[in-house]
Amino acid sequence: DGGITQSPKYLFRKEGQNVTLSCEQNLNHDAMYWYRQDPGQGLRLIYYSQIVNDFQKGDIAEGYSVSREKKESFPLTVTSAQKNPTAFYLCASNRAGPYYGYTFGSGTRLTVV
Amino acid sequence: GESVGLHLPTLSVQEGDNSIINCAYSNSASDYFIWYKQESGKGPQFIIDIRSNMDKRQGQRVTVLLNKTVKHLSLQIAATQPGDSAVYFCAENKGGADGLTFGKGTHLIIQP
């Protein structure tokens, strides 16, 4: 079955450490997205990519970085510059075009220890 | 900025009753809307969508209504069950490359 896989499910980060969240899809979707979700809040866009080797900043990109070297993969790095990284991170993908919804991964919960 | 919002952060209903979750959007150019369901600790799941050339769309136990005049979207869930307990988000596609814009969500609580 096709789907989108995020790993790990839980991640703990020490102060000053960079960590990378994995997102892989086998849906042959062109576009991929990273969102951050805080308790009781909606989804805020971090980065998005419409095609391989191209990505754009979303509303809250500071302290994060991404790459899109392969169509299937869109890893997110949370850098030490992100001062409040504890959150639930969601990856999503969809086909190009205006009438396609997202398929979401199951999320990664990142906690600073 | 965010242009999609929901009227109530929490909605409590009796099991078996019908639920109505509301959403207001501000961008009249938006032409595609989706409702998602998110259970605790999981990623959102697609429930139903509607294009702007429609007023109503029905799925299994769910109906989405779109009122473009007042820029209002609603999700109706018939005969609410315990498994319907979740946070429901509406999302709109404004046509930009940055994809969907999401509201803050409504937490649906089912009372036995």
Side-chain angles (χ1 to χ4, degrees):
Chain A
D1 288 340
I4 183 166
T5 302
Q6 288 187 244
S7 62
K9 189 172 178 63
Y10 300 97
L11 187 57
F12 298 91
R13 193 194 92 167
K14 295 181 181 179
E15 294 282 352
Q17 189 178 48
N18 293 354
V19 291
T20 297
L21 284 59
S22 172
C23 179
E24 303 275 336
Q25 54 98 0
N26 61 2
L27 300 164
N28 200 32
H29 285 173
D30 294 298
M32 298 186 75
Y33 310 83
W34 274 105
Y35 287 88
R36 170 180 172 141
Q37 187 176 33
D38 293 285
Q41 299 296 312
L43 280 65
R44 292 187 290 168
L45 183 64
I46 305 172
Y47 268 98
Y48 63 98
S49 169
Q50 295 288 319
I51 56 172
V52 175
N53 292 322
D54 187 55
F55 49 83
Q56 306 295 329
K57 293 182 179 180
D59 301 318
I60 56 165
E62 186 174 352
Y64 301 97
S65 66
V66 293
S67 63
R68 188 85 188 276
E69 296 176 2
K70 298 186 300 182
K71 187 175 185 178
E72 303 79 18
S73 179
F74 191 40
L76 173 74
T77 297
V78 184
T79 75
S80 57
Q82 171 49 241
K83 298 306 179 189
N84 184 24
T86 295
F88 190 54
Y89 291 86
L90 286 160
C91 181
S93 69
N94 71 342
R95 293 180 182 178
Y99 302 119
Y100 293 105
Y102 291 173
T103 299
F104 281 92
S106 56
T108 292
R109 187 167 298 281
L110 174 62
T111 304
V112 174
V113 296
Chain B
E2 189 175 293
S3 65
V4 177
L6 291 169
H7 296 304
L8 292 173
T10 302
L11 177 65
S12 183
V13 299
Q14 292 290 125
E15 183 178 347
D17 286 353
N18 296 336
S19 302
I20 300 176
I21 301 171
N22 295 303
C23 177
Y25 66 95
S26 60
N27 192 327
S28 58
S30 295
D31 62 356
Y32 180 56
F33 305 88
I34 307 172
W35 281 100
Y36 286 93
K37 172 185 179 183
Q38 186 180 25
E39 297 175 273
S40 181
K42 298 182 179 180
Q45 293 178 295
F46 173 94
I47 301 173
I48 193 167
D49 60 357
I50 189 167
R51 297 189 186 186
S52 59
N53 61 352
M54 302 172 71
D55 297 322
K56 179 180 179 179
R57 190 158 189 234
Q58 288 184 292
Q60 187 177 11
R61 278 202 310 119
V62 294
T63 301
V64 56
L65 298 177
L66 177 63
N67 185 330
K68 294 179 287 294
T69 302
V70 295
K71 289 182 282 189
H72 184 269
L73 190 70
S74 68
L75 176 70
Q76 300 178 359
I77 304 174
T80 311
Q81 303 169 357
D84 295 328
S85 181
V87 176
Y88 291 82
F89 294 95
C90 66
E92 64 175 320
N93 190 336
K94 295 177 285 184
D98 59 348
L100 302 174
T101 299
F102 291 86
K104 286 186 169 57
T106 291
H107 185 193
L108 180 63
I109 298 171
I110 313 303
Q111 304 281 2

